[in-house]
Structures are given as structure tokens and as C-alpha cells.
Amino acid sequence: MSTKKIPELFGSMVFNDDVMRSRLPKEVYKALTKTIEKGRTIDPAIADVVANAMKDWAIEKGATHYTHWFQPLTGVTAEKHDAFISPIAGDRVVMEFSGKELIKGETDGSSFPSGGLRATFEARGYTAWDPASYAFVKDGTLYIPTAFCSYTGEALDTKTPLLRSMDAISEQALRILRLFGDTTTTRVTTTVGAEQEYFLVNKEYFEKRKDLIYCGRTLFGAPAPKGQEMEDHYFGPIKPKVAAFMDELDEELWKLGINAKTEHNEAAPAQHELAPIYATTNMAVDQNLLTMEYMRLIAERHDLVCLLHEKPYAGVNGSGKHNNWSLSTDGGKNLVDPGKTPRENTRFLLFLSAIIRAVDEYQDLLRMSVAYPGNDHRLGGFEAPPAIISMFLGEEIEDIVDSIIDERTYTDHKAATMNLGIPSVPTFRKDTTDRNRTSPFAFTGNKFEFRSLGSSQNIAMPNVVLNTAVAKVLSDMADQLEGAVGRGEAFAPAVAAIIKDTLTAHKRIIYNGNGYSQEWMAEAARRGLSNLRTTVESCEVLTSEKSVELFARFGVLSSVELRARQEIMLENYAKVLNIEAQTMILMATRQIIPAVEAYIIHLGQAAKAKMEILDGDRSYIRMEKDLVSRLSELNAAAYDAVNTLRQADREASSAGNALAVAVAFRDKVVPAMAALRAPVDEMETLVASEYWPLPTYGEIMHKQ
């Protein structure tokens, strides 16, 4: 593709601001823009005009259908396609699309996870247009981003609470800005850039592994002789086949206006990363979901399969998603940018202290927001942050925090110049602080990087929690400051006091050291930080009194909606583990155990043939004898482990309510799965390759 065509290509399939400006009447465009930028209610009178312009544009792009594209509580997107055709006299049709069809859609509200909000026989659900997320054309269909709710009004999706949380944080941030004398800002938006890690595997190998097909991860597999210990894959040369995949992915994402910017090899063999430029959070969520969809789709075209599971392979890096979060005004000011003199930037320090307090007070909710069975395998090692939530601020900002708490004079960190001692290599400015790859929540200069997200998850819920928690703290701070100003107190001292008190009370959440160390585990416990190790423990936080009060205060999620989500998370946990357990049983009984038995028979026949040739001399069959003995022992252990796992799965599935079932899967099924994997992985190292029924880690990770 010619680089000259990229600017023309970018966003060409998106009904974006430029398209709206050129196709809508001036007054309609202004009204719609006000809805998008200011969070205002859309005027139904303009809906027909917008719908007609959207339809005409989409048809020019080859669309014949439209769909309300939404995000049910399945973790993926959903869509139902309707044609633009409408019958007229004489058995003819015209292409039509009304404002009513744009604004409202109807779908089945009980066939998606509802956590008890909808009974099976209660089918009606509604989708509602989200004007703040641009419509786009994909595969001959006009996609209209929407929210999804039940007939009785409860949110059945991830977008509805996200939009509510964005309104909440905007309202409370505006209260703070008004106190600082800002009278021009009318909306504050959260922005996100979601870095996406993933693995690629040859389709040939993928199709030979039931665990990858059914579970997205390997349930068996001995370590390859070479994993990532040589550190030569990270940022290494990109293989031609992978480069071709990345090139096509970029092109398709650019058409949809997705700022795919950075791509490289990640730490583990066959692991890669794509990083976009940030976007408004609701659009960033949509774009990340599209990115994952296109990764899977385009990989197939290159005889590859994209694995988005958090831990496809044991013993090497898992895949995460780094959620780069920031706050910006509609005038383009980044509220978490410290500027050149951060110690004197009172507005920055107030927002910083608010975020620190929010992360500390709602650390358990943030951990819950990234809870998923796949992430249980990933968190705590191989560059993934631990389950304990903490914040990394860097040396400069932490020094500022300490100077405020200790009421001492702060000395500016002077930016040093890096000189490599090579005349031909230019000098450059060194950053004032390092990075910390083990921190769950790290300040990276003008944004916060929430690093705990799993690679397969929808990023909406982590941002719902973050937005709402920060909104709550900003609300409390605004109450304090408005009260102080109302009593005639000077503003500057009141702000300084709030910043100091907040940082002092919540410094425990700040940690710049090694998040993997045993010393940190002990120190975190001493500080009183929570350590929710598994999804099951994390789910229980969702309906605590503290959580219910937080979300209800800003109308983000009701107690009923929270209980539903908790039920869905617990059910999903059990379903995922049940599928994995059943897959292990299937693979062990129908592939692995029979294959090992066949190899044992082969060894016996080989030993018998040797004995005949050597006139009964047994001294030369010790290899066969030893292998037969060990493999027979391991295969019997695997057989017993299959029966134990089968029984554990049955007992867990009938343990009672959703919580009891999830606990049983965690406590009984997970250990039983590990007990089955151990003998199988050892047998893989002993059985001849032509007898082993599965592609090995070495083949999967090193042959793209």
C-alpha cells in the first residue's frame, strides 16, 4: 500500500466528524455535535435527517444492511443485521433508514447473560444509539454503536455503565475546575489507549490441539528446550508472515479510524503487541473490541490463529492489556499532566491526590474489574503485575508527594543529558524517572497505566470502576472546597490542606519497588492492602455495602445490576473451568493415554525383537525396560487423575448456588487439573515424537 494513500484511507469507513459536517445541514450538525461533545440529550427531530445521511453514506461504501452493535455481558460484541430495503407498490423496494431505526432497536433480552435480571420467557430488550461513538461500515453493513438494556430498564451491557461513569467524572471534575476559576470548560472526558498483547500460532498446529480450540490455552505441554530465557524475541526482527499479518491489520484498522501506532515482538516466542494512540474512553472500548475481532479474522487469512487468552502457554509470559488512562478537558488540557514545575502545579497535585485516594479506597474493586479465570493464571509473574493493587509514581512525583507530607522544601529534579561517549551519536534528554513493569497502576508522565487487565477482556469495566471511584473522591473534595470558600476561607490554603491530608492518609498505596518480591507481599499485608488472589474472592467485593454505595451514588450501577454482574462473573468462572476440565478429560482419555499405551507396546515389541536377535541377553533392553516402567507408572497416574478430575467436576457442578459452585471449582477442580497435567507433561518428554498426539510447545511457539 502506498504511504500517500494512508491519510486518505484513515477513517474512510467511519461516519466521523468530517463526514457529518459535509453531509448534514448546518443546524443538524451543530445539534449532533453538541450531543457528542457536551453529553447533551439528542433532539429526536434531527434523528431522521441524521439517519438518512448515514444511510446514503453507508450505501456509497457498499452497505446493504445496518446493525445495532452492542456489548452484552458475554465479553464479546453482538449484532443483528437488517436490510435497508423497504417494500413499495408494484413489488418494488426502496432503500430506507429512519430516525426511529437509528435511535432504537429491539433484541432478545433473555438469551444473553442477565444474572437473573431476565427470566427465559421474558424476551424483550432494547438497544439505544450511542451518538458519542462513531458509526462505521464493515463487511457491507453499517454498524451503529449502541447501549443495551432490559425491558425493565436495567443495563445488560458494559457500555451503559461506562457512559454513566464518564458523565459522573465529568460532572465532578467540572466542580473542581470551577473552583480553580475555569469557566470555559464544559466537559471533562476520560481517554484511554489500550495496548494489546497476543500470540500467533500456525493454524495447522492449532487445529491439532483440542485445548486451544475449546479453551484458547494449552492444558498440557512440557516446556520447550528454548523459551524466552535468551530474551531474543522481544523487539526482535518480525518474521515475514507475521509482518504481512500486521500490515493487513494496520490497513483494516486505519480504515475504521483506529490509531494503530506501535507493533513489535513481545517477550515470549510467538507473542506480539499492538498499541494505539488514545481515544475517548467509550470509543477506545469500541476500537479495542474491533481490534481483537480483526486480529482473529486477519490471522486466519495468513494461516495463523490469534490467541488472546491471558496464559496460552505455561512457563512464559502471558498476555495483558495496558489501559493508559487520562483526564482531559474539551479544550484539550490534560489534567494529569504535571507540566514543567509539578510541585507548583496545584491543580495537577489535587487531581493526582484524588486518583491516589481513589485507587487506595477502591483497590479491591479495581482488582475485581480485571478478575477472570485466564487472568488468575497470569497475574503475579512473567512481567504481569501481582494481584495486590499498588501505585508507582516514579522518583520525581514520589519525592514531591513526600515533600508535601513532610512539609519540607522540594528540590526540582533536573533532567540529565544522556551522553553515550560516541561523538557521532547525538545526546538526548533523560527522563526524570524510570518505569516499573511490576506495578499494577503506574504513572507514566501524563497518564496512568493500569497494567492488570487481561488480554481477552473488554476494557469497559476497569474504566467504569476507575471513573466512578475518581468521581467519588472529586465529589468529596469539591464538597470540602466549596464549603471552605462558602465560609470565607482562602482557597489556596484550603486546597493545600486537602492535598496534604489526602496524600498522608493514602500514601500506603504508593510503592515503587519490585512487586514480585516476598518482602513486598509482607509489606503490603502490613500496610493493610488487600490481596485477592483469585476471581472468586474478587467477585465477592462487587456487592459489598461500600461498592453498592459508590455506584448508586452516581447512578452508574444499581444494587440489582451489581448483583446480576456478580452472578454472571461467578457463573462464567465455573463454566470456563468446566470446559477446561472436560477438555482435559477428552484429550487424556481419547488421545494421550492411548498414544502412550501404543508407545509402551512398541517398546515391548522392540525389546522382544532385541532379545531374539541377542539370544535372550537382557543387558541391552534396559532402556526399553526403564521407559516401559516409568511410562506405565505415569500413564496409570494419568488415568487415576482423569477419574479424580471427572468426579471433582461433577461435585463442583452440583455444589449449590453460583458462589458455592465457583468455590468448588476453585478448590477442587483446579487442583485436580494440575494433578492430571503433571504426569502428562512428563510423559511428553519420554514418548517418541511420532507417537505423541499433540504439537509441542517447541513447534507451536517457534514455527510461524
Side-chain angles (χ1 to χ4, degrees), residues 524-582:
R526 187 190 67 77
R527 294 187 187 189
L529 302 182
S530 63
N531 186 6
L532 304 174
R533 298 177 185 276
T534 69
T535 295
V536 178
E537 297 164 76
S538 303
C539 284
E540 297 184 49
V541 172
L542 198 52
T543 54
S544 69
E545 184 179 344
K546 182 178 176 182
S547 299
V548 171
E549 190 281 329
L550 170 70
F551 291 115
R553 176 172 173 176
F554 299 100
V556 173
L557 286 165
S558 68
S559 60
V560 173
E561 290 169 329
L562 288 170
R563 284 196 298 272
R565 279 157 177 74
Q566 182 184 67
E567 189 87 0
I568 291 166
M569 287 180 71
L570 292 169
E571 288 179 351
N572 180 73
Y573 179 84
K575 288 175 181 177
V576 167
L577 287 176
N578 178 60
I579 292 169
E580 292 186 349
Q582 291 295 322

Side-chain angles (χ1 to χ4, degrees), residues 219-223 314 584 588 592 630-631 633-639 641-642 645 670-686 692:
L219 302 173
F220 302 107
M584 288 191 89
I592 295 167
R630 183 57 179 157
L631 286 172
E633 179 184 358
L634 290 169
N635 220 23
Y639 174 77
V642 165
L645 176 58
V670 170
M673 290 171 64
L676 174 55
R677 177 167 186 159
V680 170
D681 286 359
E682 184 177 344
M683 288 192 292
E684 181 186 320
T685 67
L686 300 175
W692 192 250

Side-chain angles (χ1 to χ4, degrees), residues 29 31 113 118 122 201 305 329 337 352 365 502 529 607 640 662 667:
Y29 169 73
R118 302 293 287 159
E122 295 175 324
V201 57
V305 174
T329 69
D337 187 344
L352 173 69
L365 269 177
T502 302
L529 302 182
D640 291 340
D667 295 344

